[in-house]
Amino acid sequence: MDFALNEEQQMLQASARRFFADRHPLARARRALPWSDPLQQRLWADMAGMGFMALLLPEDDDGLGLSLTEASLVAEEAGRQLVNLPWAASAVLLALWLKAAPRPAPAVLQSAVQAALAGERALHCVAETDAWWDHAGQCSDIVVVRGWHDPAAPLQIALVDASALPCAEALDPTLRQCAAPPPQQQQALQWHTLEIPAEARAHARLAHRLMLAAELVGAAQAALDLSAAYARERVQFGKPIGSYQAIKHQLANAWMGVDNARLAVLYATAALDGSLPDARFACAVAELEAIEGALACTRTAIQVHGGMGFTWEHDAHLYLKRAQHLAARLGGASRALDQVEALALA
């Protein structure tokens, strides 16, 4: 398989990189702005104006009809700048549910996707069984999902006003979270059933997880770039520290981890789009490579920066904590390895 990006994909990646670098630098990520801040709402509207919400929707739904590969490029660039808006949930998971839903689509799903497409609402999806809801206060709505992980159970969603949730700091200082309401309180929510075939539900779930893996690749690449630049500039004993094998080998290993993860994600998106026989296995490998590569790379970034890197005020910690957060959202490296082993043996 040829992993080289075509001209259109390269243009999309370059425009996304410029957009997020200009509109969401790390200084802004540190502020962890709430959805009520006009800057946060303007950023989301501008992302919609760039077409980032419409990538996977068909043209009949005012979309661009592109593939998961193009979506992963945008996700990687968002991860590079530690964007703290729920793009993967709004533009991928909900969009694929709408695409697979029988017509006329459920009104609650149709209105949610169209509002995201217009840049008016930012929706983040959480499972009913999650103990913590991330992006609390940083998006317009939390979409609570029943049957997300159980294909035999009915797929139901309920919308919660995210601005009214009591927020607390998360491990990642660029994000906010809140404890999930108790089960009896969730029972009182207004639930809507989505009649989506099991195969389409599994496809959407895998695609959403691949976007999180792509965000991991972006965060890891940014940490690697930061480390390589520092290793070229920092001089010790009259030579840049990057010329010493102790640093050079660490950066080389980090680069290999990021490159392996990126290639695994690109193949998985192509396999999932093409319904290849090994699509599920490719997705499991991509998750494993992204988690291990991002954690190793962001830890290396702290080591390369020495004593300065160990201070929490340094940007290297932002990448490490985002990598840990996304790894936890995916279930961790052990779960990914178990999935790879199970699918390989099967």
Side-chain angles (χ1 to χ4, degrees):
M1 178 176 288
D2 184 5
F3 288 102
L5 302 179
N6 59 38
E7 185 177 354
E8 290 78 11
Q9 291 169 336
Q10 292 177 28
M11 292 175 60
L12 173 64
Q13 184 181 46
S15 63
R17 183 171 301 175
R18 289 193 303 269
F19 175 86
F20 288 122
D22 292 341
R23 305 298 181 88
H24 200 276
L26 286 190
R28 173 168 172 171
R30 280 186 175 275
R31 297 169 64 186
L33 296 177
W35 177 252
S36 58
D37 193 298
L39 289 176
Q40 197 81 333
Q41 297 184 29
R42 189 177 306 125
L43 174 62
W44 187 255
D46 290 343
M47 289 170 63
M50 291 288 290
F52 296 158
M53 310 301 173
L55 294 177
L56 299 181
L57 288 172
E59 294 181 4
D60 293 342
D61 290 321
D62 301 321
L64 299 177
L66 298 178
S67 70
L68 289 174
T69 299
E70 283 81 12
S72 72
L73 299 177
V74 174
E76 181 177 338
E77 298 308 322
R80 184 190 291 262
Q81 296 300 135
L82 304 182
V83 173
N84 49 21
L85 282 164
W87 176 85
S90 292
V92 177
L93 185 62
L94 293 178
L96 290 178
W97 281 348
L98 178 63
K99 185 178 177 180
R103 303 307 168 99
V108 62
L109 181 60
Q110 180 79 37
S111 63
V113 173
Q114 289 300 320
L117 191 63
E120 298 169 355
R121 294 165 67 187
L123 303 102
H124 180 56
C125 297
V126 298
E128 182 190 25
T129 54
D130 288 347
W132 291 91
W133 293 354
D134 51 350
H135 288 286
Q138 292 178 303
C139 58
S140 63
D141 303 271
I142 295 289
V143 182
V144 189
V145 184
R146 282 178 174 173
W148 192 348
H149 305 298
D150 184 3
L155 183 62
Q156 296 180 310
I157 61 172
L159 271 61
V160 176
D161 183 2
S163 62
L165 297 172
C167 301
E169 291 187 359
L171 170 67
D172 182 347
T174 70
L175 299 176
R176 294 291 180 264
Q177 66 181 13
C178 73
Q184 61 271 22
Q185 191 171 339
Q186 293 191 38
Q187 290 290 343
L189 297 175
Q190 185 178 2
W191 293 93
H192 306 269
T193 301
L194 306 181
E195 300 293 342
I196 299 176
E199 184 177 349
R201 287 170 57 179
H203 179 273
R205 180 180 174 222
L206 289 173
H208 177 254
R209 295 176 67 88
L210 279 180
M211 296 306 110
L212 299 184
E215 289 185 29
L216 274 170
V217 174
Q221 183 65 60
L224 178 59
D225 293 343
L226 185 70
S227 304
Y230 181 76
R232 288 192 295 266
E233 297 169 359
R234 178 72 168 93
V235 175
Q236 190 71 27
F237 303 113
K239 297 170 62 177
I241 64 173
S243 64
Y244 297 107
Q245 288 189 356
I247 301 296
K248 188 185 300 184
H249 288 179
Q250 287 192 64
L251 292 176
N253 289 335
W255 177 85
M256 290 179 62
V258 176
D259 194 55
N260 288 341
R262 179 179 290 112
L263 294 176
V265 170
L266 286 175
Y267 177 76
T269 57
L272 196 58
D273 265 331
S275 301
L276 299 185
D278 64 341
R280 287 185 60 201
F281 179 75
C283 291
V285 171
E287 289 182 24
L288 177 62
E289 292 292 337
I291 292 172
E292 291 191 335
L295 290 177
C297 186
T298 52
R299 289 167 181 160
T300 295
I302 292 177
Q303 296 287 337
V304 169
H305 283 84
M308 180 175 64
F310 277 85
T311 62
W312 278 29
E313 291 78 13
H314 197 275
D315 288 343
H317 275 272
L318 297 181
Y319 297 117
L320 172 62
K321 292 170 183 176
R322 177 58 66 90
Q324 290 175 328
H325 170 81
L326 290 172
R329 287 273 293 170
L330 290 171
S334 296
R335 178 196 176 279
L337 181 59
D338 289 342
Q339 287 289 103
V340 170
E341 291 179 343
L343 292 170
L345 291 174

